[in-house]
Amino acid sequence: MTTFSIYSASIPAFKQILNSLHTILGKAEAHIADKKIDPNALLQYRLFPDMLPFTRQVQIACDFAKGAAARLGGLDVPSYEDKEVTFAELKARIEKTLAYIDSVPQDAIEGSETRAITTGSGEKTKHFTGQTYLFHYALPHFYFHATTAYDILRHNGVEVGKKDYIGTY
């Protein structure tokens, strides 16, 4: 009989995609240099006017990864300022996020399937169990923002493909 590991369902998935996103940002930097494009053309690009720009997509993907690690681990969610304006700064944020999620002990996360988790405040307050939070809130939001960041770069000619997004595990 196999047992469910909430750690294995969360942290490795976040790390895989964040590492891929880090690599993709490097490809975007090379694309900009090669094509002599203003970096802000990509950093501030939106797929549609009512969507958030590329920079915010990366920031929010990081926020969901660190937030899930903290909440599942029973820890306070660290606050990051949203001040990144360059690809190098976004890569540093990803590195900071990876370091943080690596710092959360696996045994703090294991067994958190039934942990009470609350997000938001006021009218936006949501209550979950750890498993419901991970599978129906944190992971879907994380993948949405990571995928949107990838799509923005791909739409703008950065030569990345599915293997770049999936990365290695």
Side-chain angles (χ1 to χ4, degrees), residues 60-75:
I60 293 170
C62 289
D63 289 347
F64 272 99
K66 73 176 168 68
R71 289 183 181 101
L72 292 172
L75 305 169

Side-chain angles (χ1 to χ4, degrees), residues 63-165:
D63 289 347
F64 272 99
K66 73 176 168 68
R71 289 183 181 101
L72 292 172
L75 305 169
D76 290 334
V77 178
S79 178
Y80 294 175
E81 288 185 55
D82 296 327
K83 61 181 183 174
E84 296 84 10
V85 295
T86 67
F87 283 99
E89 291 171 345
L90 288 172
K91 287 168 69 176
R93 184 179 179 124
I94 292 170
E95 292 163 10
K96 181 178 174 180
T97 303
L98 286 165
Y100 175 74
I101 64 176
D102 274 339
S103 77
V104 178
Q106 181 173 346
D107 61 353
I109 294 174
E110 292 297 11
S112 64
E113 299 87 351
T114 58
R115 177 173 284 140
I117 293 179
T118 302
T119 64
S121 61
E123 291 181 12
K124 294 186 178 190
T125 300
K126 292 182 176 36
H127 301 281
F128 305 95
T129 62
Q131 185 171 326
T132 301
Y133 166 75
L134 176 64
F135 289 131
H136 299 282
Y137 189 76
L139 283 173
H141 282 277
F142 171 75
Y143 284 120
F144 174 85
H145 292 286
T147 301
T148 301
Y150 165 88
D151 290 343
I152 287 170
L153 295 179
R154 180 79 174 112
H155 176 78
N156 282 282
V158 178
E159 293 186 21
V160 292
K162 182 178 177 181
K163 287 182 182 181
D164 296 297
Y165 177 81

Side-chain angles (χ1 to χ4, degrees), residues 6 9 17 20 45 47 73 79 96 102 116 120 130 151 156 163 166 168:
I6 197 159
I17 299 302
S20 296
Y45 191 86
L47 287 177
S79 178
K96 181 178 174 180
D102 274 339
D151 290 343
N156 282 282
K163 287 182 182 181
I166 299 299
T168 58

